[in-house]
Amino acid sequence: SRAHAHGLESSKLAGADTRARQRRRTMNIKCAECSDSEAEGQLSNLKSLQAQLAAAVSGEDYATAASLRDQLASLEFDGELGALAANAEFYRAFASQDLTAMQELWLDDGELPRVACAHPGYPPIYGCEEVMDSWKQVFQGAQIKISAKQVRCHVLGAMARITCTEEIESGGQTVAVNIFEWDGERWRMVLHYAGPCLV
């Protein structure tokens, strides 16, 4: 089974939107390496700002909301920070078998397949619908306690490539390449490849 194989191996805020688009146009190539705890900390910071923004909008405090929206947009598209946070979210969804979170992370490519996923020992799967069907099968098996180690991130414009080693708590290791694309709102996964680590 795939599970076994993978176990082994508002208008007041418009200014912020404009600034986020400008950041997208001027972003340079970036490369970084961080620990799992750092990536999780970045993700926690993003979620905290998202919660504060929701509260400010609910309370009609638009000045605060605009400021928070700008901070959030900056963090989410701050190259390696946003991409590493998305990568941490991917492994959180994987380890917790959270299909909803997993689906929200992947780019919805509609009728034109743009995403791909290759589980260890299996050929690539193309298209968001088929990819999500594969994750549903993985999650129907035993829960896999998986984490990413030796994470490296390379960002070029609106694309981010992350390489890492996947460690399974019960034993076993795979190497992975994850590619994310900025869709104007958040980093979305477009490729996950995992294969055996023989070293």
Side-chain angles (χ1 to χ4, degrees):
S1 71
R2 285 196 179 96
H4 177 69
H6 215 138
L8 294 177
E9 323 271 325
S10 132
S11 62
K12 291 181 181 289
L13 305 178
D17 289 333
T18 300
R19 289 187 288 275
R21 287 193 296 270
Q22 290 171 341
R23 278 188 290 273
R24 177 178 179 177
R25 288 194 294 269
T26 59
M27 188 169 183
N28 296 319
I29 299 172
K30 297 184 179 181
C31 187
E33 184 170 12
C34 74
S35 67
D36 299 329
S37 61
E38 288 173 326
E40 290 290 352
Q42 292 162 353
L43 179 59
S44 177
N45 189 23
L46 288 175
K47 289 187 174 182
S48 175
L49 284 173
Q50 289 170 343
Q52 292 176 56
L53 174 60
V57 172
S58 178
E60 299 185 356
D61 184 354
Y62 295 113
T64 298
S67 176
L68 288 168
R69 176 82 175 260
D70 199 21
Q71 292 180 57
L72 187 58
S74 178
L75 285 175
E76 287 180 330
F77 195 68
D78 180 17
E80 62 272 350
L81 190 156
L84 287 167
N87 194 64
E89 177 68 11
F90 169 73
Y91 285 104
R92 187 207 66 77
F94 192 165
S96 63
Q97 297 185 323
D98 189 336
L99 190 62
T100 298
M102 181 66 79
Q103 186 160 10
E104 289 177 353
L105 189 62
W106 283 81
L107 180 72
D108 185 355
D109 53 10
E111 297 180 359
L112 181 63
R114 293 174 55 196
V115 307
C117 181
H119 298 285
Y122 286 83
I125 302 163
Y126 301 98
C128 189
E129 185 174 350
E130 293 298 321
V131 167
M132 293 315 304
D133 282 345
S134 77
W135 284 111
K136 185 175 182 180
Q137 291 180 47
V138 170
F139 291 168
Q140 285 174 345
Q143 187 170 11
I144 301 168
K145 295 296 184 180
I146 189 170
S147 61
K149 306 293 183 182
Q150 299 176 309
V151 180
R152 287 189 64 84
C153 177
H154 181 85
V155 176
L156 176 59
M159 299 292 292
R161 183 196 69 220
I162 294 179
T163 56
C164 62
T165 300
E166 297 178 339
E167 293 190 359
I168 293 85
E169 189 177 85
S170 59
Q173 201 175 66
T174 54
V175 292
V177 178
N178 299 321
I179 296 180
F180 296 84
E181 180 178 318
W182 179 256
D183 70 354
E185 294 183 359
R186 63 176 290 183
W187 289 96
R188 304 280 183 182
M189 181 168 262
V190 295
L191 171 73
H192 169 67
Y193 165 80
C197 182
L198 304 178
V199 179

